[in-house]
Amino acid sequence: MTADRPIRLLIVDDDAMVRAGLSMILGGVADIEIVAQAGDGSEVPPLVGEHRPDVVLMDIRMPGIDGLTATETLRRAPEPPEVVVLTTFHADAQVLRALRAGAAGFLLKDIAPGDLVQAIRKVAAGEPILSPAVTRQLITHVSDGGGAGERGERARRLLGRLSEREREVATAVGQGKSNADIGRELYMSVPTVKAHVSRILTKLGLNNRVQVALLVYDAAS
């Protein structure tokens, strides 16, 4: 996405009424272009290949290929679009799994129209819309199928690849702090913080700050 063109959006939901409602809300926004719609996860890869959306609004529960599987498939592809999970539940094990797969965040389906528009803009700009604090709340209250011990070992092993300074930045990200907050706490400029975050993502093979927060939580559990 560049400043001289609108955000390209793909809407994925098996409920035609939901798709219609989202289209009604977003269709008149000048900087958002709905390039395609899908009713099942199986339709997503070819539509992404054809239309190259910047952001995908992805329903989790669909009768064919669900949103989680579709998200995992998309995020493994080169130069994938950002994925935002749509759900009716605030604490949902599948939401947590989608975040681990690389989704940029999640939205409740009863979100206010203005907040929806702002969320899409933030995600398109590379800013996850789920704060690490909310991520930790989800992890605390939702189990996504066990393996916590193995995840903890893996997380500690991955964090061990980082320098001491990078671990400090990663810990601050896991605490939900902004780049500005991290800079003030660790006496760094915001560009330096951003550079550290970029290196952390590259070293650990992660997609976004949400996954860093999840990894930090796993390492401490």
Side-chain angles (χ1 to χ4, degrees):
M1 188 193 67
T2 59
D4 60 353
R5 73 167 176 84
I7 299 163
R8 298 173 63 80
L9 180 70
L10 168 62
I11 297 173
V12 185
D13 198 295
D14 67 320
D15 188 327
M17 291 296 291
V18 172
R19 295 198 305 273
L22 291 170
S23 297
M24 186 180 302
I25 292 169
L26 300 170
V29 180
D31 60 342
I32 296 176
E33 178 187 1
I34 301 172
V35 295
Q37 299 182 36
D40 186 79
S42 63
E43 303 171 39
V44 172
L47 287 175
V48 167
E50 179 179 355
H51 297 284
R52 307 303 301 172
D54 302 300
V55 178
V56 178
L57 288 181
M58 183 81 75
D59 186 23
I60 283 288
R61 293 177 174 85
M62 291 180 285
I65 293 179
D66 62 29
L68 175 61
T69 302
T71 297
E72 291 171 337
T73 300
L74 282 184
R75 294 303 301 176
R76 285 195 297 263
E79 299 183 0
E82 298 292 348
V83 177
V84 179
V85 172
L86 290 169
T87 180
T88 55
F89 298 95
H90 188 276
D92 186 331
Q94 290 183 307
V95 170
L96 182 55
R97 289 174 60 197
L99 295 176
R100 291 189 185 281
F106 81 91
L107 298 174
L108 299 179
K109 288 187 177 180
D110 62 357
I111 187 173
D115 291 340
L116 173 62
V117 172
Q118 289 302 317
I120 292 170
R121 288 171 177 160
K122 287 182 178 180
V123 169
E127 180 181 346
I129 57 169
L130 176 66
S131 72
V134 175
T135 300
R136 292 197 302 274
Q137 181 183 4
L138 276 170
I139 297 170
T140 300
H141 292 96
V142 180
S143 169
D144 66 345
E150 293 180 6
R151 283 201 304 269
E153 290 294 330
R154 174 181 177 273
R156 287 186 285 273
R157 186 170 62 252
L158 286 174
L159 291 177
R161 299 177 182 175
L162 304 179
S163 68
E164 181 177 355
R165 198 59 159 170
E166 289 166 345
R167 284 195 295 274
E168 290 176 338
V169 172
T171 298
V173 169
Q175 293 169 344
K177 295 177 180 176
S178 68
N179 288 338
D181 291 336
I182 296 171
R184 283 191 294 271
E185 180 178 297
L186 299 180
Y187 304 101
M188 293 188 290
S189 68
V190 170
T192 299
V193 175
K194 290 181 178 179
H196 277 299
V197 172
S198 294
R199 284 197 295 271
I200 289 167
L201 295 175
T202 299
K203 281 188 175 183
L204 303 184
L206 302 178
N207 297 127
N208 54 46
R209 295 167 73 101
V210 174
Q211 287 190 321
V212 174
L214 288 165
L215 196 71
V216 168
Y217 179 92
D218 284 343
S221 62

